[in-house]
């Protein structure tokens, strides 16, 4: 009997191996992640094929709106692991009804402790439903008194899980710590040094390829982004979202969450070029498209009298128009804008875009000048001051008003669609040149995924759902696409997405946006046959 079983096993193995590598590759590529890992142990031939499968670029995501946290996590995890994948990282966004601690424990329990994982409470989620494979958008309602609105608690549930494997890169998770004892202070310089050291040890360069940054709702990210933009080379991509509660895990992370002296104000998921790759590994690249939802209006002003109010995180100021001597109070400035632009001003969100020239340094390094623009929400104006949210404005800073409205939002969505069309055309042109210069068997550069961060307030300007999703889905149908609604959108760059930029403002940098959508697109270029 034992001899018969052994002979049957040999015959079965011979039969499977005889079907050819192409068909075997097709069969193994349909296995779930765990079954694929087990199949790699069968023999050397299978191991080679599965190693090849797991070396491909991959971004997988799944959304569940199951009201049970356990079931929602199971549905999302089972879906993303239903294909061969070797996750380097995971990002999970959950609804406010669910317990952040429990969700994080469930997800880390499913995915293990060896990869960086960030779990956060977002303003909403969108992506492919794990149950029916339909694209779905869910935006949650945050209300102060849940007891007065018991039905909302039943609606504010859901889980979006995104995992990825990016060939040629390593992923490291590094927190931004804040001291809780004595004078509270963000340890920004330490964050920069940790990212530099980690990047240098992996790639030989102090600047990572990309950083995904997530912050809590109490952290003022403006000084953090100033230093990150200053510290790293222009090619480093920096995107993310602010205003979330989060938990994290990661081997490279120095986690002080249980240390009473520190708390985590933000966390950086850093993508580092791996110089230790074996031959044949291609290049993963990141592309960023920003769709701002505010438009510049009115003349340029210069701040005159400035009073910071750290207690309520606001600034009171007067200003004057350029080439004028008279100082203007807040009511006068708002009336001038109202007279020029009509009643829409009072039914839309209004901001000041403040141009700032500041000195910046990391640790004991020599300081250098930086030029940046930061947005401050206009709270109100009276016969004394203009009142804006936030601090960091100085006398002599120039500013203009920006208005968030439907026209600006729709225009930015159309511009994003045009930019993504241009990206697609550029990839097609590169692939055509690649085939011509090398050989017809050259593999093509392709987009394999996109993560989007969209302001939770943009939806009120649209008469149809998922309008911000259309630019990517129409240009790259069938490609993994998911994201979250956020309270603040992070995207490093200049002011060109806001329209024509004068020579005077060409050097201004802007990293934190409002009423905006950020598309982070991932592409992969296979190694040339001679590599």
């Amino acid at each position: 009997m034992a001899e018969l079983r052994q002979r049957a096993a040999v015959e079965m193995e011979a039969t499977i191996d005889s079907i050819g590598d192409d068909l075997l590759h097709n069969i193994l590529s349909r296995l779930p992640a765990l079954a694929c890992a087990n199949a790699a142990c069968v023999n050397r031939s299978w191991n080679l094929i599965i190693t090849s499968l797991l070396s491909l670029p991959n971004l997988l995501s799944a959304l569940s709106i199951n009201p049970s946290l356990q079931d929602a996590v199971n549905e999302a995890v089972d879906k993303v692991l239903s294909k061969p994948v070797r996750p380097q990282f995971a990002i999970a966004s959950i609804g406010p009804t669910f317990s952040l601690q429990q969700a994080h424990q469930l997800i880390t329990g499913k995915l293990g402790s060896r990869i960086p994982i960030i779990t956060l409470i977002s303003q909403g989620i969108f992506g492919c439903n794990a149950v029916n494979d339909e694209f779905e958008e869910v935006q949650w309602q945050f209300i102060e008194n849940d007891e007065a609105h018991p039905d909302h608690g039943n609606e504010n549930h859901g889980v979006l899980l995104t995992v990825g494997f990016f060939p040629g890169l390593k992923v490291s998770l590094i927190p931004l710590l804040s001291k809780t004892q004595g004078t509270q202070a963000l340890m920004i310089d330490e964050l920069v040094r940790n990212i530099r050291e980690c990047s240098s040890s992996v790639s030989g360069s102090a600047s990572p390829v990309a950083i995904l940054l997530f912050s809590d709702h109490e952290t003022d990210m403006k000084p953090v982004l100033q230093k990150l933009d200053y510290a790293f080379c222009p090619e480093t991509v920096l995107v993310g979202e602010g205003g979330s509660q989060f938990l994290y895990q990661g081997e490279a992370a120095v986690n002080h969450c249980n240390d009473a002296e520190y708390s985590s104000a933000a966390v950086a998921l850093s993508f580092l070029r791996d110089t230790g790759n074996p031959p044949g590994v291609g290049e993963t690249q990141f592309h960023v498209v920003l769709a701002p939802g505010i438009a510049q209006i009115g003349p340029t002003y210069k701040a005159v009298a400035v009073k910071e109010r750290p207690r309520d995180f606001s600034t009171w100021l007067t200003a004057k128009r350029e080439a004028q001597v008279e100082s203007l109070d807040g009511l006068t400035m708002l009336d001038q804008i109202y007279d020029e632009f009509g009643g829409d001003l009072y039914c839309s969100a209004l901001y000041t875009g403040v141009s700032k020239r500041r000195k910046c340094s990391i640790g004991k390094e020599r300081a250098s000048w930086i030029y940046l623009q930061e947005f401050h929400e206009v709270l109100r104006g009276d016969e004394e001051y203009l009142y804006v949210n936030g601090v960091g404005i100085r006398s002599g800073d120039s500013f203009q008003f920006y208005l968030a409205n439907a026209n600006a939002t729709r225009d930015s969505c159309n511009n994003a669609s045009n930019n993504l069309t241009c990206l697609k055309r550029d990839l097609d042109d590169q692939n055509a040149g690649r085939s011509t210069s090398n050989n017809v068997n050259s593999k093509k550069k392709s987009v394999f995924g996109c993560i989007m961060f969209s302001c939770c307030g943009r939806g009120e300007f649209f008469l149809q759902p998922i309008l911000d999703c259309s630019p990517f889905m129409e240009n790259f149908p069938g490609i993994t696409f998911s994201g979250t609604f956020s309270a603040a959108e992070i995207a490093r760059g200049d002011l060109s997405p806001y329209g024509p930029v004068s020579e005077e403002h060409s050097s201004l940098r802007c990293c934190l946006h409002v009423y905006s959508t950020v598309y982070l697109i991932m592409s992969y270029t296979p190694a040339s046959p001679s590599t």
Side-chain angles (χ1 to χ4, degrees):
M1 182 65 70
E3 183 178 348
L4 289 175
R5 288 176 181 172
Q6 185 177 2
R7 184 184 303 172
V10 170
E11 291 176 353
M12 180 179 295
E13 184 175 342
T15 302
I16 293 176
D17 287 343
S18 67
I19 65 178
D21 286 346
D22 289 343
L23 184 54
L24 185 58
H25 185 284
N26 188 296
I27 294 172
L28 295 177
S29 67
R30 300 170 186 270
L31 292 177
L34 182 58
C36 190
N38 291 332
C41 302
V42 171
N43 58 36
R44 185 173 182 276
S45 174
W46 287 31
N47 183 276
L48 290 174
I49 293 174
I50 290 172
T51 299
S52 174
L53 285 171
L54 296 179
S55 299
L56 296 174
N58 230 331
L59 186 75
L60 300 172
S61 69
L63 175 153
S64 172
I65 54 172
N66 196 306
S68 163
L69 174 59
Q70 177 78 63
D71 292 341
V73 169
N74 287 342
E75 289 175 1
V77 172
D78 290 347
K79 185 65 176 181
V80 298
L81 297 184
S82 65
K83 298 179 180 179
V85 64
R86 182 169 52 201
Q88 290 174 308
F89 68 92
I91 302 170
S93 300
I94 67 169
T97 298
F98 290 153
S99 162
L100 179 61
Q101 184 72 42
Q102 291 179 12
H104 187 65
Q105 289 176 349
L106 288 171
I107 292 165
T108 54
K110 289 279 188 177
L111 298 179
S113 60
R114 302 188 57 150
I115 64 170
I117 299 176
I118 300 173
T119 308
L120 56 98
I121 297 176
S122 64
Q123 304 282 328
I125 54 178
F126 47 86
C128 187
N129 192 297
V131 176
N132 57 25
D133 289 329
E134 295 291 329
F135 193 85
E136 193 159 353
E137 175 184 301
V138 182
Q139 189 164 358
W140 295 306
Q141 298 294 322
F142 284 76
I143 52 180
E144 294 183 1
N145 187 359
D146 291 336
E147 294 181 359
H149 302 81
D151 293 338
H152 281 289
N154 296 326
E155 299 171 1
N156 291 348
H157 53 255
V159 171
L160 172 69
L161 178 63
T162 300
V163 303
F165 176 80
F166 298 168
L169 301 180
K170 284 191 174 181
V171 186
S172 177
L173 190 150
I174 302 173
L176 167 64
L177 301 178
S178 175
K179 291 182 178 180
T180 57
Q181 303 295 326
T183 303
Q184 292 188 0
L186 292 172
M187 301 172 65
I188 307 174
D189 287 2
E190 182 178 351
L191 171 67
V192 171
R193 285 194 293 267
N194 287 339
I195 295 176
R196 282 176 171 176
E197 291 173 3
C198 189
S199 181
S200 296
S201 67
V202 172
S203 67
S205 169
S207 294
V209 176
I211 299 173
L212 264 66
L213 192 64
F214 301 89
S215 72
D216 66 23
H217 60 285
E218 296 181 350
T219 301
D220 180 14
M221 290 302 293
K222 290 186 174 72
V224 180
L225 295 172
Q226 286 179 20
K227 292 209 172 189
L228 290 177
D229 185 47
Y230 166 82
F232 299 114
C233 70
E235 292 74 25
T236 296
V237 168
L238 174 60
V239 298
E241 69 167 273
S244 303
Q245 299 178 54
F246 64 86
L247 292 173
Y248 62 87
Q249 76 157 27
E251 283 187 342
V254 181
N255 196 329
H256 294 277
C257 289
N258 296 322
D259 192 329
E261 187 179 351
Y262 301 97
S263 64
S264 296
V267 62
L269 198 62
S270 300
F271 295 85
L272 319 169
R273 188 73 64 199
D274 187 1
T275 56
N277 285 315
V281 177
E283 181 182 7
T284 300
Q285 292 180 300
F286 297 88
H287 316 265
V288 178
V289 173
L290 172 66
I294 56 178
Q296 178 182 303
I297 60 172
T300 300
Y301 296 85
K302 182 166 289 189
V304 178
V306 178
K307 294 184 178 180
E308 283 193 352
R309 310 287 292 185
R311 180 175 298 179
D312 58 5
F313 197 60
S314 67
T315 299
W316 306 358
L317 60 92
T318 63
K320 62 181 181 181
R321 282 194 177 192
E322 288 191 340
Q324 292 186 359
V325 177
E326 179 186 5
S327 293
L328 305 175
D329 58 54
L331 190 59
T332 302
M333 283 185 272
L334 294 180
D335 284 343
Q336 289 177 350
I337 298 295
Y338 177 81
D339 291 341
E340 292 184 32
F341 296 94
D344 286 344
L345 177 67
Y346 287 113
C347 60
S348 302
L350 188 65
Y351 291 81
T352 58
V354 185
S355 302
K356 304 177 181 181
R357 178 176 180 263
R358 303 287 188 265
K359 277 195 170 184
C360 187
S361 65
I362 305 299
K364 296 181 180 180
E365 296 176 5
R366 183 177 179 180
S368 299
W369 289 106
I370 59 172
Y371 303 87
L372 59 145
Q373 175 155 305
E374 294 178 337
F375 294 105
H376 297 261
E377 184 180 7
V378 175
L379 303 175
R380 62 187 177 91
D382 61 21
E383 295 178 350
E384 287 190 278
Y385 297 104
L386 179 72
Y387 303 88
V388 301
N389 185 54
V391 296
I393 303 174
R394 297 178 185 175
S395 178
D397 289 344
S398 62
F399 66 89
Q400 287 184 281
F401 287 100
Y402 283 76
L403 188 67
N405 58 23
N407 290 335
T409 304
R410 290 182 180 277
D411 287 345
S412 73
C413 189
N414 291 333
N415 291 336
S417 182
N418 293 335
N419 289 333
L420 288 167
T421 300
C422 290
L423 173 62
K424 183 179 181 180
R425 187 183 304 119
D426 289 345
L427 293 178
D428 290 341
D429 291 343
Q430 291 178 37
N431 287 329
R434 185 179 175 90
S435 297
T436 302
S437 61
N438 293 324
N439 57 66
V440 294
N441 295 320
S442 295
K443 296 181 180 179
K444 293 182 178 181
K445 180 176 184 177
S446 60
V447 166
F448 65 89
C450 178
I451 298 174
M452 188 175 96
F453 305 98
S454 185
C455 175
C456 56
R458 279 173 72 93
E460 65 188 71
F461 295 131
F462 292 146
L463 299 179
Q464 63 187 91
I466 323 181
L467 190 58
D468 271 323
C469 300
S470 300
F472 184 84
M473 297 177 70
E474 291 174 358
N475 280 286
F476 301 98
I479 302 299
T480 300
F481 176 61
S482 64
T484 59
F485 293 100
S486 61
E489 304 78 56
I490 297 169
R492 183 190 193 197
D494 56 24
L495 294 180
S496 58
Y498 290 87
V501 180
S502 65
E503 184 177 350
E504 178 186 2
H505 292 157
S506 61
S507 61
L508 290 177
R509 307 286 295 168
C510 187
C511 294
L512 190 62
H513 308 272
V514 293
Y515 280 91
S516 299
T517 293
V518 179
Y519 303 83
L520 176 66
I521 303 105
M522 286 73 74
S523 69
Y524 180 69
T525 305
S528 61
S530 59
T531 302

